[in-house]
Amino acid sequence: MACINPDGTLTEVARRVLEAMARRGAAFAAPEEIATAAGVPLHRVRATVRETGRAKLIEGDGAGWRLTGLGREVLDLDEGSGPA
Amino acid sequence: MEHNTTGDYHIQTALPRLNALAPAFEAETTHGRLALEDYRGTWVVLFSHPADFTPVCTTEFIEFARMAPALKERNTELLGLSIDSIYSHLAWVQAIRDKFGVEIPFPVIADGNREVASLYGMINPEESSTETSRCLFVIDDKGVLRAMIYYPLTTGRNTDEILRLIDALQTTDRHRVATPANWRPGESVIVPPPRTVEDAEARKGLGYECTDWWFCKTTVPGPGPKG
């Protein structure tokens, strides 16, 4: 999966996208908001959302996305292991 | 993509159609897995090149990289493609950075199974049965294919023309006009000919510069479109 490195850590873009969602807590964020908050181009956000959604790291309500419990775990682990 | 009984790929060589929705795809790229749908709201220049580590392609990549900021001003992203592997793409991009001092800012699709090349008719068997030709597709922010340029394997593309083409298309969208030969932003544009007597009469007071009733030009604001 392109959003996760072979060693299990998140890619730089995926980490920035998930961090932007983490900062919003339980609120759903639209891809456009995530792109602005993460400083990542919108097309990269959409790609990351698709892939991390498939991996159950995030969940959507049709208009926006937020981290799942698994997503928080992976992000915490990733931050604990240094830069991806 | 179709497979025959031996498992070989059958390459579709039919071209996509202008003003139809561009064929959808999802593919591995040097920036991760991307889908055309991800670019919704943004114009895209999708271009193919025959192979990595070839001199003409290298000059094109360098010029496309230099053009990228100007494209961004026009809400347009670059997306490259060849049938080489991700590892080959990464090595080539790194070689361009190391040898020419140019960072390649755009993703490059690794189309090893020729899925995207097939969708867009990028392989011309008369020229090469395996390599993608120098094809370039301009896809607008609604996913509609607006222009195609096909070059032979031997001729590098002209980035000035690509920018001019996008400026012309975006100006056409914004002002409902056409652009004459060799048009550049800031120059006069062509007003569509009238289709009724009423239209022909109505335009007399609009201040157009007319050579004949069917050949009128006007000016539009702004040096170039931004989106």
Side-chain angles (χ1 to χ4, degrees):
Chain A
M1 176 162 298
C3 61
I4 298 177
N5 293 310
D7 64 0
T9 58
L10 295 167
T11 62
E12 171 68 16
V13 168
R15 186 171 53 75
R16 284 162 62 180
V17 167
L18 265 56
E19 282 175 347
M21 287 188 212
R23 286 196 291 272
R24 290 182 59 99
F28 289 94
E32 290 81 1
E33 297 172 86
I34 299 169
T36 301
V40 172
L42 182 56
H43 67 275
R44 299 289 302 275
V45 169
R46 287 180 178 140
T48 303
V49 158
R50 183 175 57 252
E51 296 237 322
T52 53
R54 286 174 184 164
K56 311 290 187 196
L57 304 184
I58 65 171
E59 59 188 0
D61 70 348
W65 299 87
R66 67 182 179 191
L67 283 178
T68 62
L70 178 59
R72 289 188 182 284
E73 279 180 36
V74 169
L75 188 58
D76 288 345
L77 286 172
D78 192 64
E79 286 173 342
S81 63
Chain B
M1 179 73 62
E2 297 173 10
H3 298 263
N4 62 22
T5 53
T6 62
D8 296 333
Y9 288 110
H10 169 70
I11 301 298
Q12 292 283 357
T13 54
L15 302 183
R17 286 179 301 147
L18 289 183
N19 295 318
L21 281 177
F25 60 81
E26 185 179 324
E28 293 296 333
T29 82
T30 51
H31 289 191
R33 198 166 179 82
L34 291 172
L36 181 60
E37 173 67 13
D38 296 333
Y39 290 92
R40 188 175 62 254
T42 306
W43 288 60
V44 179
V45 171
L46 169 65
F47 68 95
S48 60
H49 59 277
D52 297 344
F53 293 102
T54 54
V56 177
C57 297
T58 300
T59 63
E60 288 186 326
F61 261 49
I62 290 169
E63 291 308 318
F64 285 165
R66 289 177 177 152
M67 176 176 62
L71 285 175
K72 277 203 185 297
E73 290 178 8
R74 293 158 173 81
N75 188 33
T76 305
E77 297 281 347
L78 282 158
L79 179 56
L81 176 148
S82 84
I83 58 174
D84 293 298
S85 70
I86 282 286
Y87 300 112
S88 172
H89 286 344
L90 292 174
W92 184 38
V93 164
Q94 187 170 327
I96 292 173
R97 184 184 61 206
D98 293 346
K99 302 294 183 187
F100 296 91
V102 175
E103 289 281 353
I104 300 301
F106 49 83
V108 187
I109 294 172
D111 196 36
N113 59 11
R114 299 166 173 78
E115 278 189 25
V116 182
S118 173
L119 285 171
Y120 283 80
M122 291 171 168
I123 295 177
N124 302 138
E126 291 78 8
E127 190 164 37
S128 167
S129 60
T130 56
E131 294 173 315
T132 45
S133 294
R134 297 188 194 285
C135 308
L136 187 144
F137 304 87
V138 178
I139 301 167
D140 73 13
D141 53 352
K142 297 174 185 63
V144 174
L145 181 59
R146 298 293 298 277
M148 299 186 289
I149 302 175
Y150 280 67
Y151 270 43
L153 299 180
T154 51
T155 307
R157 285 163 283 206
N158 183 315
T159 54
D160 284 344
E161 171 56 12
I162 296 164
L163 278 178
R164 194 193 75 89
L165 173 61
I166 291 168
D167 280 339
L169 288 168
Q170 293 185 345
T171 297
T172 293
D173 284 4
R174 182 168 294 172
H175 300 290
R176 298 182 183 282
V177 293
T179 52
N182 297 333
W183 176 86
R184 294 278 180 183
E187 295 178 356
S188 295
V189 296
I190 293 174
V191 182
R195 300 181 67 86
T196 64
V197 172
E198 289 82 3
D199 287 347
E201 285 299 316
R203 68 164 48 196
K204 284 180 179 171
L206 296 179
Y208 296 149
E209 172 197 335
C210 294
T211 306
D212 202 341
W213 65 271
W214 52 271
F215 191 103
C216 294
K217 288 184 174 180
T218 188
T219 54
V220 292
K226 298 292 183 188

